[in-house]
Amino acid sequence: MAGHSKKEYVVVFFVLTLLTGLEVGLKYMNLSRTALIGGLIALALAKATAVALFFMHLKSETRTLKLVVGIPLLFPALYAIVLISESIYRSGFTLMATAH
Amino acid sequence: MSQAAEAGHAVSDEKGFDFGKASSGKVAMWIFLLSDAMSFGGLLLAYAILRSGSHDWPDPSKRLGIPFTAGMTFVLICSSVTMVLGLAAAQEKDKKKAVFWLCLTILGGLLFLTGQVKEYTGLIHEGAGITVDNMWATFFIPTSFHGLHVFTGVTYLSIITIQTARGKYTDGPNASANNIEVAGLFWHFVDLVWILVFTFIYLI
């Protein structure tokens, strides 16, 4: 099918490699715990989204298939936010606060 | 190539569920991957809850080799791009090129598994183990579950590659690369999950 160009695949590959390097770099910079966690999660989600959209061709699927895939993932995300927040709150913010 | 030949059996009906040219196999794989994502989600969430409630969780970078694992992550990213290039070659009816890229993809998977065996052996020699503490339990369970997926992917792709070499997906007017695309979905998902595992278990 002509819909997916090889050039696009190679560009996505380089972006993924670059972001992986950035993640490792972030780890060794002296960032605050909150900034490190926030930055790493943002980069990981960007990479995962790029794989789904370009390598798994989700961007060229119909709206129905996109929704079938996307909507169910919102529930575990919501579940995670609620449970992790609760756990952090009860333990006195150790995950966010401890240096190591 | 006709759209119908490329798509296999298209799953669409008149009631508004429009999957376009996506074959039933592709839609089924997506649904399976969603259920698989829930399994990984459960394991990662168990880890997150244990860790965020702990006062003395060790820094993973003190126990795990971050540069080595970054290399393993790179290997999986490489094997994802070779997978899509193999699919593109098959869609262009270029059997030789398709087999070449698919073989490289399998090689990437095998390299990843070798890396994981090396990593586990080293860690276990140093006294790590599933039942040692919560950190090791929530390290070994998600990563070995992921390793099992890589092994499954290598097996799956080996079968697909043999079929490709026999011309099943490229020769003849009705040949369709759909099965390669569906196998690719599984393979990319394994890469996608590793991206998240690398961040949550190794880096954070």
Side-chain angles (χ1 to χ4, degrees):
Chain A
M1 222 183 306
H4 320 295
S5 83
K6 280 181 254 181
K7 205 172 132 193
E8 183 182 277
Y9 291 149
V10 176
V11 169
V12 173
F13 165 73
F14 281 115
V15 169
L16 289 174
T17 306
L18 194 77
L19 293 183
T20 305
L22 202 62
E23 284 176 340
V24 179
L26 220 56
K27 172 77 185 172
Y28 292 105
M29 278 199 280
N30 264 330
L31 293 175
S32 76
R33 192 83 187 117
T34 317
L36 177 70
I37 293 177
L40 285 175
I41 292 178
L43 283 172
L45 291 181
K47 284 165 72 186
T49 310
V51 170
L53 288 180
F54 298 102
F55 285 172
M56 300 171 89
H57 308 134
L58 200 55
K59 87 177 163 81
S60 39
E61 299 296 351
T62 60
R63 191 181 143 82
T64 306
L65 185 51
K66 283 178 189 156
L67 291 177
V68 163
V69 173
I71 290 176
L73 292 176
L74 296 176
F75 293 96
L78 183 68
Y79 194 44
I81 291 169
V82 171
L83 290 183
I84 294 169
S85 309
E86 206 260 357
S87 185
I88 290 175
Y89 173 73
R90 272 161 44 102
S91 67
F93 298 91
T94 48
L95 177 73
M96 309 300 277
T98 34
H100 291 294
Chain B
M1 157 186 351
S2 78
Q3 280 184 2
E6 179 61 41
H9 302 280
V11 191
S12 290
D13 61 30
E14 296 86 55
K15 299 209 175 71
F17 290 101
D18 177 19
F19 290 107
K21 289 180 286 170
S23 65
S24 53
K26 187 195 259 186
V27 175
M29 180 54 87
W30 270 111
I31 305 283
F32 164 72
L33 293 179
L34 271 175
S35 75
D36 215 16
M38 299 301 166
S39 306
F40 276 109
L43 293 177
L44 287 175
L45 191 50
Y47 154 74
I49 291 167
L50 284 172
R51 181 165 178 182
S52 55
S54 160
H55 289 271
D56 53 0
W57 198 273
D59 179 359
S61 67
K62 299 237 162 69
R63 289 183 166 196
L64 305 167
I66 304 292
F68 181 76
T69 317
M72 279 167 58
T73 308
F74 179 66
V75 167
L76 272 195
I77 293 173
C78 289
S79 82
S80 249
V81 79
T82 55
M83 179 73 231
V84 280
L85 291 174
L87 170 65
Q91 284 168 342
E92 287 162 5
K93 307 284 184 198
D94 189 337
K95 185 167 81 184
K96 265 192 183 157
K97 242 192 204 166
V99 171
F100 169 75
W101 288 119
L102 287 172
C103 284
L104 274 187
T105 308
I106 294 170
L107 192 71
L110 290 174
L111 208 61
F112 182 89
L113 286 174
T114 313
Q116 200 170 36
V117 168
K118 189 177 173 309
E119 179 194 31
Y120 275 25
T121 325
L123 291 173
I124 291 166
H125 268 294
E126 289 164 17
I130 281 189
T131 54
V132 172
D133 62 17
N134 280 348
M135 185 271 168
W136 284 126
T138 56
F139 164 76
F140 279 113
I141 295 171
T143 53
S144 59
F145 190 53
H146 176 270
L148 192 65
H149 279 75
V150 177
F151 179 74
T152 307
V154 165
T155 313
Y156 186 0
L157 283 178
S158 300
I159 295 167
I160 292 288
T161 305
I162 293 168
Q163 291 175 334
T164 308
R166 286 181 178 163
K168 186 175 174 187
Y169 304 121
T170 48
D171 300 353
N174 291 323
S176 152
N178 179 65
N179 285 4
I180 302 181
E181 186 172 6
V182 173
L185 285 181
F186 181 81
W187 190 252
H188 299 306
F189 176 76
V190 172
D191 181 24
L192 192 157
V193 167
W194 183 256
I195 287 170
L196 300 177
V197 167
F198 180 54
T199 290
F200 290 121
I201 307 234
Y202 287 83
L203 292 177
I204 281 182

